[in-house]
Amino acid sequence: MVTLTEVEDEHFQEHPGAQYEDDEDYTDTESEISNDSDFDAENETFAERLYALRDIVPPQTRSWISDSVSTVGSRAWSIFSFGSKATWVITTSALFIGVPFALSYNEDLQYAAMEQEYSMRQQGGDMLTAGGEEQSTADKVTAALAAEGQSGQAKPAL
């Protein structure tokens, strides 16, 4: 069986019924559980409502939730960090390898175009200088066109 014993504070035993100046500052209405009359539920934010639920959720559950959120945040940060580093490596590698390759490929295309232009000029020069000296340039072009199967006669511009 439990026996209750009232224990009086030493402060009150020395001066019973005495009122101190500091006692006026402390009243029962200043507690955390006080009922504020100016409370407006419509202006309460979602975060404030979640914070108010902290006393309803047991401490073990709160620590589990906190640990879970911390773990998820840590892993998300790790994935983001790895992804950004991988993107940096891939991008810089592509620039270091891709840009010189593109420039050399473009240079090769220019060389091929120059060789084709040179060979076309060579063929054009051979076509114009082919045959004897007694033919005019217009006759040589007409003969070349006839050899290719194109009809028409080349006439001098003047």
Side-chain angles (χ1 to χ4, degrees):
M1 180 175 214
V2 178
T3 305
L4 296 176
T5 306
E6 181 179 354
V7 178
E8 291 186 24
D9 193 2
E10 292 175 3
H11 175 72
F12 292 112
Q13 287 178 355
E14 293 175 6
H15 305 287
Q19 191 167 14
Y20 298 101
E21 294 177 15
D22 293 342
D23 287 346
E24 294 175 2
D25 293 339
Y26 303 105
T27 61
D28 288 341
T29 59
E30 293 180 2
S31 67
E32 289 183 22
I33 308 174
S34 67
N35 195 3
D36 294 335
S37 61
D38 60 334
F39 176 71
D40 188 14
E42 292 179 6
N43 292 336
E44 187 177 29
T45 64
F46 183 70
E48 291 173 343
R49 289 184 181 203
L50 281 178
Y51 184 71
L53 291 175
R54 76 185 186 286
D55 294 330
I56 295 173
V57 179
Q60 295 151 342
T61 307
R62 283 192 307 218
S63 67
W64 178 81
I65 291 171
S66 174
D67 292 342
S68 299
V69 169
S70 176
T71 302
V72 167
S74 174
R75 295 212 177 154
W77 179 255
S78 297
I79 290 171
F80 174 74
S81 177
F82 176 76
S84 62
K85 289 176 184 177
T87 302
W88 174 256
V89 168
I90 291 170
T91 304
T92 54
S93 298
L95 287 174
F96 284 147
I97 294 171
V99 170
F101 176 75
L103 291 174
S104 67
Y105 181 74
N106 189 23
E107 188 176 346
D108 286 344
L109 289 178
Q110 287 177 347
Y111 283 141
M114 286 173 48
E115 287 175 0
Q116 184 180 9
E117 183 181 347
Y118 178 75
S119 67
M120 289 175 68
R121 285 185 183 183
Q122 185 85 20
Q123 289 174 357
D126 290 343
M127 186 171 60
L128 291 176
T129 58
E133 292 294 326
E134 64 273 351
Q135 287 183 335
S136 69
T137 305
D139 294 334
K140 293 177 186 176
V141 170
T142 303
L145 288 175
E148 291 181 5
Q150 296 179 0
S151 61
Q153 182 116 9
K155 297 179 182 173
L158 297 176

